[in-house]
Amino acid sequence: MIKSVANARVFQLLSPQDTVVYAIPKYQREYAWTKQEWDELCDDILEEDGSDSGHFLGTIICINRTSNANEENLLELVDGQQRLTTLSILMASIYRFLTDHSDQLDADGRFDLDSLGRQLVLKDPVRLRVRPQIQNSNYDDYLNVLKTSGLNVKAPTVKFLGNRRIMKCYNHFSDRLDQLAGPKSSVKPVLELLGRVKRAILVKLEVESTADAFTLFESLNNRGIPLTPIDIIKNSLLAAADKKRNSGLTAEAVFDQWNALLGDLGDDYKTQERFFRHYYNAFKAELPNVANAPIATRSKLIRIYEKLITTDLENRLEDLLFCGQIYKRIVGNLDSDEPRNSLDEALADLSRVQGAPSEALLLYLMAYQDDHDLTEPMLRSITETLTSFFVRRNLTGDPPTNMLQRLFMSMIDEVSTKAGSEIVDAVKARLKEEASNDKAFYAKLVGPLYNENADVTRYILVSLAKATMTKETYRDLWERDGKHFKWTIEHILPQGLNLPKEWVTMLGGVTQASAIQQQHVHRLGNLTITGYNSTLSNRSFHSKKIRKDAKGNYVGFKNRLPLNDDVVQATEWTAVEIDERTEKMAKQVLKIFPL
């Protein structure tokens, strides 16, 4: 598996006398090191004891991809890109500093400067010694770093160059060199640093194939950014593709398909990981058997996908892409120009009530929609039932979290032999059997609901508001203004510790007011929806009714939402009013979320 092992100094890895170059393949992650790693690398080199031993910087793994040794020796850098890229950026900043202060250099110093330039860029023709991959403009940014340092390279004009990490790294090292050189900009300490960089040691492991590289890569614990299970699944796909190169399936093609899949899943890592768990759980009966993996947990995810990928790469990849397109709809990652219907709104509601554990069931049903004679209205009905289930479940805690995945996997088994309305009925019956009954649900609804689950509480309030809306009075209560919802939960009786004087008087004095606040402030009847206004909560009851924004629009209780009609009509707000409104709203919630 390992072709060669060498303890090499940086000066040898990038020797001015040879034509070895290091290319980072496009499927590698983008440059990810930040100030912490930059400083650790620089400090480690500076703290070297000055002996000839050199500071050990870790391991790099390469595959020899040379096609014409007369032109250059091309090594594909599979591991170590963060360190080697950062080292070359540090060297470029040293090159800039020494060039700017070349009048201080003697003959040896000028020779070192010329050698340093060739360690970064080969001539005739001009070629980079380290070649970052193209993601997030890494390659173009690095070209700009070399050009800025004074080397003779052509660099494209790119937007927001200074906002990305590669140029930030260069500027950071340039500042550190200025500090190191002192007020007189002495080249001596910078030349000493260059000597330490050149003496630093890396272990270079050269392997024969991508498969060998990834196997070795996963077994080493280097200083780079830790790999996630999703990274390792990607690497397993690429390694498997590399083994099948003769079949026409290349690592590059798989990488493009992988990016298409992540485009469907979105940027959120938790969503990506959830998809891979749900895929296995949804289709486990059809997939190759994975020993001791009855359910896909985070700890078993890597082992599961190594088995699935090595067993049948082509079909597995095709199936993942197909299911990724379905999951894109389930999680609401549709493009702005893609049409949405009532099923998409139902799926959005399920997400709002934290119904992610049921996505395996939906993935199965939507993947086999035609085979099981399921119409979109049927899928919407199932999704709405799931929403009712999770409103109840996420307030009562029943069934417990550790039972949810197994519940939905067993439901997949149950409906796999059914079709159409039989499936709808079976899902409803099973969820009713598993969910908390009305009595337990009602007990939570009349308690300190907001403390139980603020997100589900908001969903309940929005649902109550929507139930009384007409086409003429419709408001999108999920609309956002930047990071904030335009419509937010408001505690009618404020939840802050220092109640304003008006509230203390209304509630019967300090002691009584404090007791009422502690017992009632988070109950459903004390909650409503208002326009976002950070200054609303601590005002008097009357002020909160009539509060307006800068444009003259009501953002207090007189915001024309029928949900607030009884609050507006009330002349005072005490425990009596909160009790009455809580009971009324709780009964309405039971009707909106039946099981």
Side-chain angles (χ1 to χ4, degrees):
M1 181 174 71
I2 300 177
K3 193 174 179 181
S4 67
V5 180
N7 282 6
R9 300 183 187 276
V10 171
F11 182 84
Q12 295 168 308
L13 291 174
L14 296 168
S15 172
Q17 278 72 51
D18 65 31
T19 60
V20 176
V21 299
Y22 298 85
I24 299 164
K26 69 176 184 178
Y27 53 75
Q28 284 283 18
R29 69 171 57 169
E30 65 187 66
Y31 184 67
W33 273 17
T34 60
K35 181 178 179 296
Q36 179 179 343
E37 290 85 16
W38 304 335
D39 282 335
E40 285 178 359
L41 178 72
C42 193
D43 291 342
D44 286 347
I45 293 171
L46 285 169
E47 289 170 7
E48 179 223 323
D49 61 12
S51 67
D52 193 50
S53 58
H55 180 75
F56 177 63
L57 294 174
T59 304
I60 62 173
I61 303 175
C62 306
I63 307 169
N64 196 318
R65 300 294 195 194
T66 303
S67 58
N68 186 343
N70 292 325
E71 293 181 0
E72 64 184 18
N73 291 289
L74 176 63
L75 296 182
E76 186 176 272
L77 193 62
V78 179
D79 182 33
Q81 64 138 323
Q82 305 289 334
R83 269 159 293 139
L84 206 53
T85 302
T86 306
L87 271 172
S88 63
I89 296 171
L90 173 59
M91 292 162 70
S93 66
I94 293 173
Y95 184 87
R96 174 79 270 173
F97 183 91
L98 295 179
T99 300
D100 288 345
H101 302 91
S102 59
D103 58 319
Q104 298 182 43
L105 298 177
D106 57 18
D108 288 342
R110 287 192 292 273
F111 177 80
D112 286 343
L113 178 60
D114 184 67
S115 297
L116 178 56
R118 190 170 170 81
Q119 287 181 287
L120 293 167
V121 178
L122 292 172
K123 298 179 181 179
D124 303 322
V126 172
R127 289 155 293 159
L128 309 189
R129 301 298 299 273
V130 175
R131 299 171 185 174
Q133 94 291 57
I134 60 175
Q135 289 190 64
N136 198 25
S137 299
N138 280 184
Y139 186 81
D140 290 345
D141 289 354
Y142 183 68
L143 281 172
N144 276 276
V145 160
L146 296 181
K147 183 178 179 181
T148 302
S149 73
L151 290 158
N152 184 26
V153 298
K154 293 181 179 179
T157 301
V158 291
K159 294 182 178 179
F160 312 116
L161 173 64
N163 293 336
R164 291 186 294 274
R165 288 177 178 168
I166 285 183
M167 184 55 80
K168 280 186 175 181
C169 178
Y170 174 78
N171 291 332
H172 180 70
F173 283 144
S174 296
D175 290 342
R176 286 206 57 165
L177 292 180
D178 288 339
Q179 295 173 5
L180 186 66
K184 294 184 179 180
S185 297
S186 172
V187 298
K188 183 178 179 181
V190 177
L191 284 170
E192 289 178 357
L193 173 60
L194 176 59
R196 292 168 184 257
V197 171
K198 290 160 64 175
R199 289 194 300 272
I201 294 172
L202 285 158
V203 175
K204 184 178 77 170
L205 302 177
E206 191 173 322
V207 296
E208 294 181 347
S209 69
T210 307
D212 291 340
F214 286 137
T215 300
L216 187 58
F217 181 41
E218 291 163 19
S219 69
L220 296 176
N221 181 24
N222 291 324
R223 289 182 53 177
I225 304 298
L227 287 178
T228 67
I230 304 304
D231 290 322
I232 295 176
I233 290 170
K234 176 192 75 173
N235 291 345
S236 297
L237 280 166
L238 295 168
D242 191 73
K243 287 182 178 180
K244 293 178 173 287
R245 235 183 298 174
N246 294 335
S247 69
L249 188 64
T250 65
E252 288 76 12
V254 170
F255 177 70
D256 290 339
Q257 291 175 303
W258 174 265
N259 278 344
L261 174 60
L262 293 193
D264 287 336
L265 302 183
D267 295 331
D268 182 62
Y269 174 77
K270 291 182 179 179
T271 302
Q272 295 171 4
E273 183 188 278
R274 212 165 66 231
F275 166 76
F276 285 96
R277 287 192 286 114
H278 284 321
Y279 173 83
Y280 178 78
N281 294 338
F283 304 106
K284 181 177 179 295
E286 309 164 30
L287 296 172
N289 181 57
V290 182
N292 301 315
I295 188 170
T297 60
R298 289 183 178 89
S299 61
K300 295 178 180 178
L301 205 56
I302 295 170
R303 183 166 60 84
I304 286 170
Y305 277 89
E306 284 178 343
K307 176 63 179 291
L308 299 186
I309 289 164
T310 55
T311 303
D312 188 357
L313 171 63
E314 290 89 345
N315 286 331
R316 196 57 47 230
L317 186 57
E318 181 181 354
D319 205 34
L320 284 169
L321 289 167
F322 172 73
C323 289
Q325 292 176 336
I326 295 171
Y327 198 71
K328 173 182 181 177
R329 189 177 183 190
I330 291 174
V331 298
N333 193 38
L334 298 175
D335 297 331
S336 58
D337 59 347
E338 290 186 79
R340 289 166 170 77
N341 59 25
S342 56
L343 173 57
D344 296 299
E345 181 56 35
L347 290 168
D349 282 342
L350 181 61
S351 176
R352 290 161 182 156
V353 298
Q354 303 161 348
S358 66
E359 290 170 354
L361 173 63
L362 287 172
L363 184 60
Y364 174 86
L365 294 177
M366 293 172 75
Y368 288 122
Q369 180 177 347
D370 293 338
D371 294 341
H372 287 294
D373 298 324
L374 285 167
T375 64
E376 290 240 330
M378 290 176 182
L379 289 170
R380 185 187 70 238
S381 178
I382 290 170
T383 306
E384 289 170 348
T385 303
L386 287 168
T387 298
S388 289
F389 171 82
F390 276 100
V391 168
R392 292 170 176 248
R393 188 270 150 201
N394 289 336
L395 290 180
T396 63
D398 188 30
T401 301
N402 63 352
M403 295 300 296
L404 291 176
Q405 287 297 337
R406 296 181 187 278
L407 166 63
F408 290 108
M409 289 176 72
S410 70
M411 290 176 68
I412 290 170
D413 291 338
E414 185 179 343
V415 302
S416 62
T417 58
K418 301 180 186 297
S421 58
E422 289 181 326
I423 293 178
V424 179
D425 293 341
V427 169
K428 290 183 176 181
R430 182 65 185 279
L431 291 177
K432 183 174 183 178
E433 177 185 332
E434 300 290 342
S436 300
N437 59 32
D438 284 357
K439 182 178 180 180
F441 185 35
Y442 183 81
K444 287 293 183 180
L445 291 172
V446 297
L449 190 69
Y450 186 82
N451 268 351
E452 296 287 350
N453 191 313
D455 289 337
V456 173
T457 299
R458 186 183 196 282
Y459 181 78
I460 287 173
L461 289 168
V462 170
S463 299
L464 286 167
K466 286 176 65 176
T468 56
M469 285 182 186
T470 63
K471 289 183 178 180
E472 292 75 21
T473 62
Y474 174 79
R475 314 276 186 90
D476 181 5
L477 301 179
W478 296 106
E479 186 179 2
R480 289 181 180 269
D481 184 6
K483 294 182 179 180
H484 297 291
F485 284 117
K486 286 189 175 181
W487 298 86
T488 59
I489 293 180
E490 179 67 25
H491 288 74
I492 302 169
L493 167 62
Q495 59 179 326
L497 293 178
N498 298 314
L499 278 176
K501 181 180 178 180
E502 295 90 337
W503 280 103
V504 172
T505 301
M506 182 189 298
L507 296 175
V510 174
T511 302
Q512 182 83 351
S514 177
I516 292 173
Q517 186 187 44
Q518 290 181 33
Q519 295 170 18
H520 295 279
V521 70
H522 294 310
R523 297 181 69 197
L524 186 58
N526 191 53
L527 304 173
T528 190
I529 296 176
T530 63
Y532 175 73
N533 191 311
S534 59
T535 65
L536 186 64
S537 61
N538 224 29
R539 294 180 174 271
S540 69
F541 182 50
H542 178 70
S543 295
K544 292 176 80 168
K545 286 185 186 182
I546 63 172
R547 182 68 173 167
K548 295 181 180 180
D549 63 17
K551 297 179 181 179
N553 299 314
Y554 282 109
V555 293
F557 306 143
K558 293 184 70 174
N559 57 17
R560 298 180 62 191
L561 285 181
L563 177 68
N564 295 329
D565 286 349
D566 49 0
V567 182
V568 173
Q569 293 167 8
T571 57
E572 60 180 5
W573 200 253
T574 67
V576 173
E577 285 76 22
I578 295 173
D579 281 336
E580 291 177 352
R581 189 166 181 264
T582 297
E583 290 182 18
K584 181 183 73 172
M585 294 170 74
K587 291 175 181 177
Q588 291 174 320
V589 173
L590 286 175
K591 294 178 181 178
I592 294 174
F593 302 110
L595 271 181

